[in-house]
DNA sequence: GTGGTCTAGACCACC
DNA sequence: GTGGTCTAGACCACC
């Protein structure tokens, strides 16, 4: 599976699962209508208590991301993509703002912050082809309907 | 005092105090040799149980940031500044990296991230106008209207 | 359990617990991966407030001796043995040096100190007869009567 | 003065003073009838709160070590030497036994302990001429009467 | 069930 | 006055 769980993180495991399901939908790894691994299957795969998986699925269901198929499991709702893109964007924006607010409250300058940001981008960017332009088009979701 | 506690944060109160003491040292608000408010005084000022303050002070002591003067109170160690600058930088870098890692794992592009970063900087930067140059002098409010 | 707490000691109870956990790891009573008694269980067994136990466990955690398994309890870290052997040796060496420094500062001679040391060894050594040779094999109870 | 105070020690400062006065008497640095520095003088010399000095002198007086001369200060009682030698010996013996008990409770062997003891002796012995004989005469106090 | 946080309040030694 | 320890008990999230 595509889950990577950090047992030591301060973020509860069920939250990590919720987030990773949403992000997988946001980036297209999981598409509408697709089936999720069963609670039992997944609990074996990633060695977690089934209760923890079940809790994550339950919350994703109540957030209208997943839909239960009676007796068969959970599928991704056809209309889940927008909610997942929004969730992703909100989370990322909140993270960035929190990091900046922390930095300013400790007296750091925006110059130092830009350096840190660019360095982190260099280190982490998946397709490492870094360009200096900050005017690239904003992205937008390709329509694959 | 300079403390601002968020009772509803997921971050424990004693951790908020620890962080704010370190950041106050990092930005020069608290200098080496300076006295901290007493446990009882601070507990009155920010309406917290003295045990909570004492716990924060105790951890700062074991991290070599504060030093107790027996029967008199807590002072900032002369050599605390470096540790506090390091702590601040590490925290900010970790925050930024976590935000970026999250974003990439959700399929966001570095272009989108730069926009989010610059927007957050605009919103949060304390009393400073934004210019696009990253070599601009560190202070000043140039009018680019 | 293997804890023996002295309520009247000048050493705080939580420090006694910390020391005894480390020493139990050092002498092999507690091995890496092994589970500790839960805070509530131990607080019942040795008639102490759970907060006191929790404080000891918390500090052992921050010293990388124990590791919390969320919702399940505390285990001894696999790599804790070295740290515990070091802690034990450092403590013993510090104790011995402090005793000797005190003695010398009061004008005592090394001859007097050797007598005191050998007498204390005779009195305290667990189930072992004393011989004058310091190269004797490490176990066994030779009868030198 | 002959005092060396460790502000950070777990041992209270007034206890350090008491011990150092007794040990100075035990090793002959302070003789019966000799005058101690006044509370004010000493508090200036070693930069301590006069209350702390006064408390130490008060306890030494109640232990029959010092005697107040009205309006002039404290002198060492003529019969203080025996009490001071006893106090020194008891303290050293207690220290040594405590160190050994700690060591055994952590699974250390008497062989290891002898090594530690001899090493500490080598490091600390004031007139570093170390001999291997452990049968030296026990010392005894020279009579200078 | 588990540990973690927080409040409330007692008591202590030290200055 | 100062910080440090300890008890008692509530409440929380997680498993």
């Amino acid at each position: 599976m595509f889950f990577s769980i950090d047992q030591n993180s301060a973020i509860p495991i069920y939250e990590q699962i919720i987030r990773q399901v949403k992000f997988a939908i946001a980036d297209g790894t999981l598409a509408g209508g697709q089936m999720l691994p069963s609670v039992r299957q997944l609990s074996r795969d990633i060695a977690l208590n089934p209760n923890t998986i079940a809790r994550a699925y339950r919350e994703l269901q109540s957030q209208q991301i997943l839909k239960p198929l009676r007796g068969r499991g959970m599928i991704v709702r056809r209309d889940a993509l927008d909610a997942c893109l929004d969730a992703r964007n909100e989370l990322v924006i909140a993270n960035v703002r929190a990091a900046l607010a922390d930095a300013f409250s400790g007296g750091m300058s925006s110059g130092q912050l830009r350096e840190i940001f660019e360095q982190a981008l260099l280190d982490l960017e998946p397709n490492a082809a870094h360009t200096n332009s900050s005017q690239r088009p904003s992205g937008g979701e390709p329509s694959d309907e």
Side-chain angles (χ1 to χ4, degrees), chain A:
Chain A
M1 263 301 117
F2 45 80
F3 290 100
S4 107
I5 299 300
D6 177 359
Q7 291 271 5
N8 302 313
S9 163
I11 299 165
I13 292 168
Y14 76 91
E15 291 275 13
Q16 296 182 44
I17 297 171
I18 290 172
R19 217 206 45 157
Q20 289 180 31
V21 169
K22 287 184 183 169
F23 280 26
I25 296 169
D27 77 3
T29 306
L30 268 175
Q34 214 173 321
M35 195 104 183
L36 267 85
S38 78
V39 166
R40 280 178 198 181
Q41 182 60 49
L42 187 53
S43 85
R44 252 176 281 126
D45 286 356
I46 59 183
L48 285 178
N49 190 314
N51 287 329
T52 307
I53 319 267
R55 174 163 183 188
Y57 280 11
R58 201 186 325 133
E59 297 217 5
L60 284 162
Q61 181 186 341
S62 78
Q63 287 175 33
Q64 323 280 357
I65 309 291
L66 299 185
K67 198 167 77 160
L69 291 186
R70 273 211 290 209
R72 295 207 282 131
M74 290 281 190
I75 61 163
V76 178
R77 289 176 64 125
R78 300 272 166 198
D79 58 1
L81 180 59
D82 283 353
C84 289
L85 285 168
D86 287 353
R88 182 198 65 178
N89 293 352
E90 272 169 37
L91 185 112
V92 170
I93 290 172
N95 278 349
V96 169
R97 292 179 68 98
L100 266 49
D102 271 2
F104 286 136
S105 84
M108 201 175 265
S109 72
S110 27
Q112 287 172 288
L113 277 164
R114 274 208 187 76
E115 267 177 44
I116 287 169
F117 178 81
E118 292 296 339
Q119 187 57 49
L121 217 47
L122 269 176
D123 293 349
L124 293 169
E125 192 169 14
N127 315 310
H130 173 68
T131 78
N132 240 339
S133 154
S134 54
Q135 269 80 30
R136 297 198 223 173
S138 78
E141 307 77 52
S143 76
D144 56 356
E145 182 72 26

Coordinates of all heavy atoms in Angstrom, one line a residue, chain A residues 81-142:
Chain A
L81 N -12.8 14.4 -5.0 CA -11.6 15.1 -5.4 C -11.5 16.6 -4.9 O -10.5 17.0 -4.4 CB -11.4 15.1 -6.9 CG -10.2 15.7 -7.5 CD1 -8.9 15.2 -6.9 CD2 -10.2 15.7 -9.0
D82 N -12.6 17.3 -5.2 CA -12.5 18.8 -4.8 C -12.3 18.9 -3.3 O -11.4 19.7 -2.9 CB -13.9 19.5 -5.1 CG -13.9 19.8 -6.6 OD1 -12.9 19.5 -7.3 OD2 -15.0 20.2 -7.1
A83 N -13.0 18.1 -2.5 CA -12.8 18.2 -1.0 C -11.4 17.9 -0.7 O -10.8 18.6 0.2 CB -13.8 17.3 -0.3
C84 N -10.8 16.9 -1.4 CA -9.4 16.5 -1.0 C -8.4 17.6 -1.4 O -7.4 17.9 -0.7 CB -9.1 15.2 -1.6 SG -10.0 13.9 -0.9
L85 N -8.7 18.2 -2.6 CA -7.8 19.3 -3.0 C -7.9 20.5 -2.0 O -6.9 21.0 -1.6 CB -8.2 19.8 -4.4 CG -7.7 18.8 -5.6 CD1 -8.4 19.2 -6.9 CD2 -6.2 18.8 -5.7
D86 N -9.1 20.8 -1.7 CA -9.3 21.9 -0.7 C -8.6 21.5 0.6 O -7.9 22.4 1.2 CB -10.8 22.1 -0.4 CG -11.5 22.8 -1.5 OD1 -10.8 23.2 -2.5 OD2 -12.7 22.9 -1.5
A87 N -8.8 20.3 1.1 CA -8.2 19.9 2.4 C -6.7 20.0 2.3 O -6.0 20.5 3.2 CB -8.6 18.5 2.7
R88 N -6.1 19.5 1.1 CA -4.7 19.6 1.0 C -4.2 21.1 1.0 O -3.3 21.4 1.7 CB -4.3 19.0 -0.4 CG -2.8 19.0 -0.6 CD -2.5 18.7 -2.1 NE -3.0 19.9 -2.9 CZ -2.8 20.0 -4.2 NH1 -2.2 18.9 -4.9 NH2 -3.2 21.0 -4.9
N89 N -4.9 21.9 0.2 CA -4.4 23.3 0.2 C -4.5 24.0 1.5 O -3.6 24.7 1.9 CB -5.2 24.1 -0.9 CG -4.9 23.6 -2.3 OD1 -4.0 22.8 -2.5 ND2 -5.7 24.0 -3.3
E90 N -5.7 23.8 2.2 CA -5.8 24.4 3.5 C -4.7 24.0 4.4 O -4.2 24.8 5.2 CB -7.2 24.0 4.1 CG -8.3 25.0 3.7 CD -9.6 24.5 4.1 OE1 -9.8 23.8 5.1 OE2 -10.6 24.6 3.3
L91 N -4.4 22.7 4.4 CA -3.4 22.2 5.3 C -2.1 22.8 5.0 O -1.4 23.2 5.9 CB -3.4 20.7 5.3 CG -2.4 20.1 6.3 CD1 -3.2 19.3 7.3 CD2 -1.3 19.2 5.6
V92 N -1.7 22.8 3.8 CA -0.4 23.3 3.4 C -0.3 24.8 3.7 O 0.7 25.3 4.3 CB -0.1 23.1 1.9 CG1 1.1 23.8 1.5 CG2 0.0 21.6 1.6
I93 N -1.4 25.6 3.4 CA -1.3 27.0 3.7 C -1.2 27.2 5.3 O -0.4 28.0 5.7 CB -2.6 27.7 3.2 CG1 -2.5 27.7 1.6 CG2 -2.7 29.1 3.7 CD1 -3.7 28.2 0.9
A94 N -2.0 26.4 6.0 CA -1.9 26.6 7.5 C -0.5 26.2 8.0 O 0.0 26.9 8.8 CB -3.0 25.6 8.1
N95 N 0.1 25.2 7.4 CA 1.4 24.8 7.8 C 2.4 25.9 7.6 O 3.3 26.2 8.4 CB 1.9 23.6 7.0 CG 1.4 22.3 7.6 OD1 0.8 22.2 8.7 ND2 1.5 21.2 6.8
V96 N 2.4 26.4 6.4 CA 3.3 27.5 6.0 C 3.1 28.7 6.9 O 4.1 29.3 7.4 CB 3.1 27.9 4.5 CG1 3.9 29.1 4.2 CG2 3.6 26.7 3.6
R97 N 1.9 29.1 7.1 CA 1.6 30.3 7.9 C 2.1 30.0 9.3 O 2.7 30.9 10.0 CB 0.1 30.6 7.9 CG -0.4 31.2 6.6 CD -1.9 31.5 6.7 NE -2.1 32.6 7.5 CZ -2.3 33.9 7.1 NH1 -2.3 34.1 5.8 NH2 -2.5 34.8 7.9
A98 N 1.9 28.8 9.8 CA 2.3 28.5 11.2 C 3.8 28.6 11.3 O 4.4 29.2 12.3 CB 1.9 27.1 11.6
A99 N 4.5 28.1 10.3 CA 6.0 28.1 10.3 C 6.5 29.6 10.3 O 7.4 29.9 11.0 CB 6.5 27.4 9.1
L100 N 5.9 30.4 9.4 CA 6.3 31.8 9.4 C 5.9 32.6 10.6 O 6.8 33.4 11.1 CB 5.6 32.5 8.1 CG 6.4 32.5 6.9 CD1 7.0 31.1 6.5 CD2 5.6 33.0 5.7
A101 N 4.8 32.3 11.2 CA 4.4 33.0 12.4 C 5.4 32.7 13.5 O 5.9 33.5 14.3 CB 3.0 32.6 12.8
D102 N 5.7 31.4 13.6 CA 6.8 31.0 14.6 C 8.1 31.7 14.4 O 8.7 32.2 15.3 CB 7.0 29.5 14.5 CG 6.1 28.6 15.3 OD1 5.2 29.2 16.0 OD2 6.3 27.4 15.3
A103 N 8.5 31.7 13.2 CA 9.8 32.3 12.8 C 9.8 33.8 13.2 O 10.7 34.3 13.9 CB 10.1 32.2 11.3
F104 N 8.7 34.5 12.8 CA 8.7 36.0 13.2 C 8.6 36.2 14.7 O 9.3 37.1 15.2 CB 7.4 36.6 12.5 CG 7.6 36.8 11.0 CD1 6.6 36.5 10.1 CD2 8.8 37.3 10.5 CE1 6.7 36.7 8.8 CE2 9.0 37.4 9.1 CZ 7.9 37.1 8.2
S105 N 7.9 35.3 15.4 CA 7.8 35.5 16.8 C 9.1 35.3 17.5 O 9.4 35.7 18.6 CB 6.7 34.6 17.4 OG 7.3 33.3 17.6
G106 N 10.1 34.6 16.8 CA 11.4 34.4 17.3 C 12.4 35.4 16.8 O 13.6 35.3 16.9
G107 N 11.9 36.4 16.0 CA 12.8 37.5 15.6 C 13.5 37.2 14.3 O 14.5 37.8 13.9
M108 N 13.1 36.1 13.5 CA 13.7 35.8 12.3 C 13.2 36.8 11.2 O 12.1 37.3 11.2 CB 13.4 34.4 11.9 CG 14.4 33.7 11.0 SD 14.0 32.0 10.7 CE 15.0 31.2 11.9
S109 N 14.1 37.0 10.2 CA 13.8 38.0 9.2 C 13.2 37.3 7.9 O 13.5 36.1 7.8 CB 15.0 38.8 8.8 OG 15.9 37.9 8.0
S110 N 12.5 38.0 7.1 CA 12.0 37.3 5.9 C 13.1 36.9 5.0 O 12.9 35.9 4.2 CB 11.0 38.2 5.2 OG 11.2 39.6 5.4
G111 N 14.2 37.6 5.0 CA 15.4 37.1 4.3 C 15.8 35.7 4.7 O 16.0 34.8 3.8
Q112 N 16.0 35.6 6.0 CA 16.4 34.2 6.5 C 15.4 33.2 6.1 O 15.7 32.1 5.7 CB 16.5 34.2 8.0 CG 17.7 35.0 8.5 CD 17.7 35.1 10.0 OE1 16.9 35.9 10.6 NE2 18.5 34.4 10.7
L113 N 14.1 33.6 6.1 CA 13.0 32.6 5.8 C 13.0 32.2 4.4 O 12.8 31.1 4.1 CB 11.7 33.3 6.2 CG 11.3 33.1 7.7 CD1 10.2 34.0 8.1 CD2 11.0 31.7 7.9
R114 N 13.3 33.2 3.5 CA 13.3 32.8 2.1 C 14.5 31.8 1.8 O 14.3 30.9 1.1 CB 13.6 34.0 1.2 CG 12.3 34.7 0.8 CD 12.4 35.5 -0.5 NE 11.1 36.3 -0.6 CZ 10.9 37.4 0.0 NH1 11.8 37.9 0.9 NH2 9.8 38.0 -0.1
E115 N 15.6 32.1 2.5 CA 16.7 31.1 2.3 C 16.3 29.7 2.8 O 16.6 28.7 2.1 CB 17.9 31.5 3.2 CG 18.9 32.4 2.4 CD 20.0 32.8 3.4 OE1 20.5 32.0 4.2 OE2 20.4 34.0 3.3
I116 N 15.7 29.7 3.9 CA 15.3 28.4 4.5 C 14.3 27.7 3.5 O 14.3 26.5 3.2 CB 14.6 28.5 5.9 CG1 15.8 28.8 6.9 CG2 13.8 27.3 6.3 CD1 15.3 29.3 8.3
F117 N 13.3 28.5 3.0 CA 12.3 28.0 2.1 C 12.9 27.4 0.9 O 12.7 26.3 0.5 CB 11.3 29.1 1.8 CG 10.2 28.6 0.8 CD1 9.1 27.9 1.3 CD2 10.3 29.0 -0.5 CE1 8.1 27.5 0.4 CE2 9.4 28.6 -1.4 CZ 8.3 27.9 -1.0
E118 N 13.8 28.2 0.3 CA 14.4 27.7 -1.0 C 15.3 26.5 -0.8 O 15.3 25.6 -1.6 CB 15.2 28.8 -1.7 CG 14.4 30.0 -2.2 CD 13.4 29.6 -3.3 OE1 13.7 28.6 -4.0 OE2 12.4 30.3 -3.5
Q119 N 16.0 26.5 0.4 CA 16.8 25.3 0.7 C 16.0 24.0 0.8 O 16.3 23.0 0.3 CB 17.6 25.6 1.9 CG 18.7 24.5 2.2 CD 19.6 24.3 1.1 OE1 20.2 25.2 0.6 NE2 19.8 23.0 0.6
A120 N 14.9 24.2 1.6 CA 14.0 23.0 1.8 C 13.4 22.6 0.5 O 13.2 21.4 0.2 CB 12.9 23.4 2.8
L121 N 13.1 23.5 -0.4 CA 12.5 23.2 -1.7 C 13.5 22.4 -2.5 O 13.2 21.3 -3.1 CB 12.2 24.5 -2.5 CG 10.9 24.5 -3.3 CD1 9.7 24.0 -2.6 CD2 10.7 26.0 -3.8
L122 N 14.8 22.9 -2.5 CA 15.8 22.1 -3.2 C 16.0 20.7 -2.7 O 16.1 19.8 -3.4 CB 17.2 22.9 -3.0 CG 17.6 23.9 -4.0 CD1 18.9 24.6 -3.6 CD2 17.7 23.3 -5.4
D123 N 15.9 20.6 -1.3 CA 16.1 19.3 -0.7 C 15.0 18.3 -1.0 O 15.2 17.1 -1.2 CB 16.3 19.4 0.8 CG 17.5 20.1 1.2 OD1 18.4 20.4 0.3 OD2 17.7 20.5 2.4
L124 N 13.8 18.9 -1.1 CA 12.6 18.0 -1.1 C 11.9 17.8 -2.4 O 11.2 16.8 -2.6 CB 11.6 18.5 0.0 CG 12.0 18.4 1.4 CD1 11.1 19.2 2.3 CD2 12.1 17.0 1.9
E125 N 12.1 18.8 -3.3 CA 11.3 18.8 -4.5 C 11.5 17.4 -5.2 O 12.6 17.0 -5.5 CB 11.8 19.9 -5.4 CG 10.9 20.1 -6.6 CD 11.2 21.5 -7.3 OE1 12.3 22.0 -7.1 OE2 10.4 21.9 -8.1
P126 N 10.3 16.8 -5.5 CA 10.4 15.4 -6.1 C 11.1 15.3 -7.4 O 12.1 14.5 -7.6 CB 9.0 15.0 -6.2 CG 8.2 16.0 -5.4 CD 9.0 17.2 -5.4
N127 N 10.8 16.1 -8.4 CA 11.5 16.1 -9.7 C 12.5 17.2 -9.7 O 12.3 18.2 -10.3 CB 10.5 16.2 -10.9 CG 9.3 15.4 -10.7 OD1 9.4 14.2 -10.4 ND2 8.1 16.0 -10.8
A128 N 13.6 16.9 -9.1 CA 14.5 17.9 -8.6 C 14.9 19.1 -9.6 O 15.7 19.9 -9.3 CB 15.8 17.3 -8.1
A129 N 14.3 19.1 -10.8 CA 14.6 20.1 -11.8 C 14.1 21.5 -11.3 O 13.0 21.9 -11.6 CB 14.0 19.8 -13.1
H130 N 15.0 22.2 -10.6 CA 14.6 23.4 -10.0 C 14.8 24.6 -10.9 O 15.9 24.7 -11.5 CB 15.5 23.6 -8.7 CG 15.3 25.0 -8.1 ND1 14.1 25.4 -7.5 CD2 16.1 26.0 -8.0 CE1 14.2 26.6 -7.0 NE2 15.4 27.0 -7.3
T131 N 13.9 25.5 -11.1 CA 14.1 26.7 -11.9 C 13.9 27.9 -11.0 O 13.3 27.8 -10.0 CB 13.1 26.8 -13.1 OG1 11.8 27.3 -12.5 CG2 12.8 25.5 -13.8
N132 N 14.5 29.0 -11.4 CA 14.5 30.1 -10.5 C 13.2 31.0 -10.7 O 12.9 31.8 -9.8 CB 15.7 31.0 -10.8 CG 16.5 31.1 -9.5 OD1 16.0 30.9 -8.4 ND2 17.8 31.5 -9.6
S133 N 12.5 30.7 -11.7 CA 11.3 31.5 -11.9 C 10.2 31.3 -10.9 O 9.9 30.2 -10.5 CB 10.7 31.1 -13.3 OG 9.3 31.4 -13.3
S134 N 9.7 32.4 -10.3 CA 8.6 32.2 -9.4 C 7.3 32.6 -10.0 O 6.3 32.8 -9.4 CB 8.9 33.0 -8.1 OG 9.1 34.4 -8.4
Q135 N 7.3 32.9 -11.3 CA 6.1 33.3 -12.0 C 5.4 32.1 -12.8 O 4.5 32.3 -13.6 CB 6.4 34.4 -13.0 CG 6.2 35.8 -12.4 CD 7.5 36.2 -11.6 OE1 8.6 35.7 -11.9 NE2 7.3 37.0 -10.6
R136 N 5.8 30.9 -12.5 CA 5.1 29.8 -13.2 C 3.6 29.8 -13.0 O 3.2 30.2 -11.9 CB 5.5 28.4 -12.6 CG 6.9 28.1 -12.7 CD 6.9 26.5 -12.4 NE 8.0 26.2 -11.6 CZ 8.1 24.9 -11.1 NH1 7.2 24.0 -11.4 NH2 9.1 24.6 -10.3
P137 N 2.9 29.3 -13.9 CA 1.4 29.2 -13.7 C 1.1 28.4 -12.5 O 1.9 27.5 -12.1 CB 0.9 28.5 -15.0 CG 2.2 27.9 -15.6 CD 3.3 28.8 -15.2
S138 N 0.0 28.7 -11.9 CA -0.3 28.2 -10.5 C -0.6 26.7 -10.4 O -0.8 26.2 -9.4 CB -1.4 28.9 -9.9 OG -2.6 28.5 -10.4
G139 N -0.7 26.0 -11.6 CA -0.9 24.6 -11.4 C -2.2 24.1 -12.0 O -2.3 23.6 -13.1
G140 N -3.3 24.2 -11.2 CA -4.6 23.8 -11.7 C -4.7 22.3 -11.8 O -3.7 21.7 -12.1
E141 N -5.9 21.8 -11.6 CA -6.0 20.3 -11.7 C -6.4 20.0 -13.2 O -7.4 20.5 -13.7 CB -7.1 19.8 -10.8 CG -7.0 20.2 -9.4 CD -7.4 21.7 -9.2 OE1 -8.5 22.0 -9.6 OE2 -6.6 22.5 -8.6
P142 N -5.6 19.1 -13.8 CA -6.0 18.6 -15.1 C -7.4 17.9 -15.0 O -7.6 17.2 -14.1 CB -4.9 17.6 -15.4 CG -4.3 17.2 -14.1 CD -4.5 18.4 -13.2

